Amino acid sequence: MLSRLMNFLRACWLPSSDRYVQPGSDAAGRQDGLLWYKDTGQHLNGEFSMAVVQANSLLEDQSQVESGPLSTLESGPYGTFVGIYDGHGGPETSRYINDHLFQNLKRFTSEQQSMSVDVIRKAYQATEEGFLSVVTKQWPMKPQIAAVGSCCLVGVICGGTLYIANVGDSRAVLGRVMKATGEVLAIQLSSEHNVAIESVRQEMHSLHPDDSHIVVLKHNVWRVKGLIQVSRSIGDIYLKKAEFNREPLFTKFRLREPFKRPILSSEPSISVHELQPHDQFVIFASDGLWEHLSNQEAVDIVQNHPCSGSARRLVKTALQEAAKKREMRYSDLKKIERGVRRHFHDDITVIVVFLDSNLVSRASSARGPSLSVRGRGINIPAKTLAPSMET
C-alpha cells in the first residue's frame, strides 16, 4: 500500500514530457484542436496556468516551466524558471532553446553557487553559441537553418527576487495591487527589441552609423535590413556572421553588400525586481497575445477571474479579438487549419505565474517537489523546416 502511494506521489511530480506522462492526462496538459492548455499547476512560489494556440504549420512557439533546483548541486538555490521562445523561419531555434537554455542556466548557477544577472547572461550566450554550432554543422546539408531564429523571454524567481531577461518582442507584465484603491496595475517588466519602436530604431542607427539602410520601412512595417522586425534574437545567424549570408542561402535572405560586424545581437536585456506582498502575478506571453490585448486588459482579465484557466482565458480573448478584426465569428476562426490560420493570428503562448507572498518570501534554499512542463502543439516530424513566415 505504501509503495503504491509513493509511486502515485512520484508520478505527480515527474517532468511532463512524453517519456514520463501519458498524453491527454492532466499532468501533461490537454489538447483541444490547435489549443494546448494546462489550466493549473503548482510551482515553488504559487500556482501557474499555461496555454498555447498553434497558427503555423509547425508550432514555432516553445515554452517551459521548471520549478525546483536551479543548479546541479544539492546545496544550490531552488526556485521557478519560466521560458517563452517565439521562433521565426522555423521551429529549430526555439526547440533548441527549450532543450538547452535551462540546463545552461543550472550549469552556471552551480559554478557561481548563486543566481545572478551574470548567470542568466552566460546562459543566453552559451545557448547562442550552441545553436551556432548546430548551424555550422548543418549548413552544408540544410543552409536555410541559418535564417531560423527565436525571441527568448525568461523569468526566474529565486529567494524573493524576480529576474526578467529578454531578446526580441515577447513580454512579461506584472499585476500589482495598489493599496490605496485596490485596483491592479499592469507593470511591464521586460524591454522589447522590435524596430517598430522608435527607441529601438535609434539604437540600431547608433550601433550602425555607417549604414543608412540598417532599418527600412517595407510594406508599412519597419524591418532590420528590410528582413526582420526584431533587433535581438537567438539564432538568425545569417545576420550575425557574414560567412552564412551567401549561397546556397535563399536569395531573399542574402544581403547585397557583405557586413563586417553582426547586424543582430543576442545580448539580453535583464532587469531585477524584489517581489513585494502586493505583487499578485506575472503574465509571460509571446507577441501573438500583445498584438490583440494591452497590458492592462490582460492584467484585468487575470485579476477578475479564478486563477485556474487564466492562460487559456487570455488566449481565447486574443482569438476573439483576432476574429473581430477580420469581421468573422470566433467559432469560424477555430475551424481554420494550422498554416492557413497564420493569416489570422500568430502562434500564441501564455504562462501566468501567480505569486504566493508566503512562499515567495521563503529563502531560495527552500525545498519542494520538482516540476517540469512544456507547452505543446500538433505533433509532426521534427526534421522539416517550416514554411518561412516573415517576422
Side-chain angles (χ1 to χ4, degrees):
M1 182 69 183
L2 181 60
S3 63
R4 273 188 302 190
L5 177 62
M6 291 303 294
N7 287 337
F8 171 78
L9 292 172
R10 195 177 296 118
C12 289
W13 296 106
L14 278 171
S16 51
S17 68
D18 289 326
R19 291 173 296 169
Y20 298 98
V21 182
Q22 288 297 316
S25 71
D26 287 332
R30 295 187 177 277
Q31 194 83 38
D32 177 13
L34 295 179
L35 173 70
W36 174 91
Y37 61 92
K38 182 173 174 61
D39 278 343
T40 187
Q42 189 76 28
H43 66 102
L44 281 181
N45 305 108
E47 296 179 56
F48 72 93
S49 178
M50 202 169 173
V52 180
V53 67
Q54 182 172 347
N56 286 293
S57 297
L58 295 178
L59 180 67
E60 295 184 345
D61 277 16
Q62 300 292 316
S63 54
Q64 64 188 135
V65 175
E66 309 284 343
S67 196
L70 296 176
S71 80
T72 57
L73 302 174
E74 188 67 30
S75 59
Y78 277 56
T80 298
F81 174 98
V82 177
I84 290 184
Y85 321 122
D86 180 1
H88 45 260
E92 284 76 9
T93 314
S94 56
R95 288 175 178 171
Y96 182 88
I97 299 169
N98 218 13
D99 288 338
H100 294 87
L101 178 59
F102 181 58
Q103 298 307 318
N104 287 332
L105 179 117
K106 289 176 75 172
R107 177 162 58 91
F108 290 115
T109 304
S110 302
E111 288 179 8
Q112 298 199 4
Q113 298 186 354
S114 65
M115 182 55 60
S116 68
V117 167
D118 189 49
V119 162
I120 296 170
R121 184 169 285 115
K122 284 180 175 178
Y124 269 71
Q125 183 182 354
T127 305
E128 168 81 353
E129 290 171 356
F131 189 70
L132 171 59
S133 297
V134 171
V135 172
T136 303
K137 185 177 180 180
Q138 294 190 12
W139 168 262
M141 304 83 69
K142 196 164 70 170
Q144 307 316 320
I145 197 170
V148 179
S150 182
C151 302
C152 183
L153 171 65
V154 161
V156 180
I157 304 170
C158 183
T161 301
L162 170 63
Y163 300 85
I164 299 289
N166 193 42
V167 293
D169 55 8
S170 296
R171 187 182 301 173
V173 176
L174 174 71
R176 173 178 288 171
V177 173
M178 305 307 292
K179 290 181 181 177
T181 63
E183 292 180 282
V184 177
L185 187 67
I187 301 171
Q188 185 168 325
L189 302 179
S190 53
S191 298
E192 291 172 33
H193 313 111
N194 187 310
V195 291
I197 303 167
E198 186 178 354
S199 60
V200 178
R201 293 199 298 275
Q202 291 173 350
E203 179 186 55
M204 291 300 287
H205 283 298
S206 66
L207 291 170
H208 305 272
D210 53 344
D211 187 351
S212 60
H213 300 292
I214 188 66
V215 182
V216 178
L217 190 62
K218 185 177 179 182
H219 305 308
N220 214 31
V221 177
W222 288 103
R223 296 183 185 276
V224 178
K225 302 301 288 183
L227 292 170
I228 188 170
Q229 288 180 261
V230 293
S231 61
R232 304 190 197 188
S233 68
I234 303 293
D236 295 309
I237 305 300
Y238 77 117
L239 290 175
K240 294 173 179 175
K241 294 196 174 289
E243 60 265 37
F244 295 103
N245 197 290
R246 58 179 175 84
E247 290 185 345
L249 190 67
F250 289 154
T251 307
K252 67 177 181 177
F253 295 123
R254 299 205 302 265
L255 302 180
R256 292 178 182 177
E257 298 176 2
F259 54 93
K260 296 179 181 177
R261 62 176 179 274
I263 294 169
L264 301 187
S265 166
S266 61
E267 180 73 16
S269 294
I270 305 176
S271 56
V272 182
H273 312 270
E274 296 303 321
L275 292 170
Q276 306 299 322
H278 50 289
D279 294 337
Q280 301 293 294
F281 54 83
V282 184
I283 303 169
F284 297 86
S286 56
D287 72 316
L289 180 78
W290 309 112
E291 285 175 10
H292 303 291
L293 294 178
S294 69
N295 293 354
Q296 191 63 53
E297 285 170 337
V299 162
D300 289 343
I301 289 167
V302 174
Q303 177 64 17
N304 295 330
H305 293 87
C307 295
S308 179
S310 291
R312 181 156 56 114
R313 200 170 290 116
L314 286 170
V315 167
K316 181 179 179 180
T317 306
L319 294 181
Q320 289 172 330
E321 287 298 315
K324 192 185 299 181
K325 288 174 184 175
R326 298 300 288 268
E327 298 182 344
M328 65 190 300
R329 290 187 300 233
Y330 168 64
S331 57
D332 291 333
L333 176 66
K334 289 206 300 179
K335 296 172 186 173
I336 299 172
E337 291 296 317
R338 56 192 164 93
V340 178
R341 183 81 82 90
R342 182 60 181 87
H343 297 288
F344 297 83
H345 66 84
D346 198 355
D347 293 338
I348 302 174
T349 299
V350 179
I351 301 173
V352 183
V353 175
F354 293 92
L355 305 167
D356 183 325
S357 58
N358 293 321
L359 297 175
V360 167
S361 61
R362 285 160 50 180
S364 64
S365 59
R367 300 293 191 265
S370 295
L371 172 85
S372 178
V373 182
R374 292 190 179 192
R376 298 170 188 221
I378 302 296
N379 291 325
I380 359 183
K383 294 181 180 177
T384 313
L385 274 169
S388 175
M389 297 295 295
E390 289 191 340
T391 299

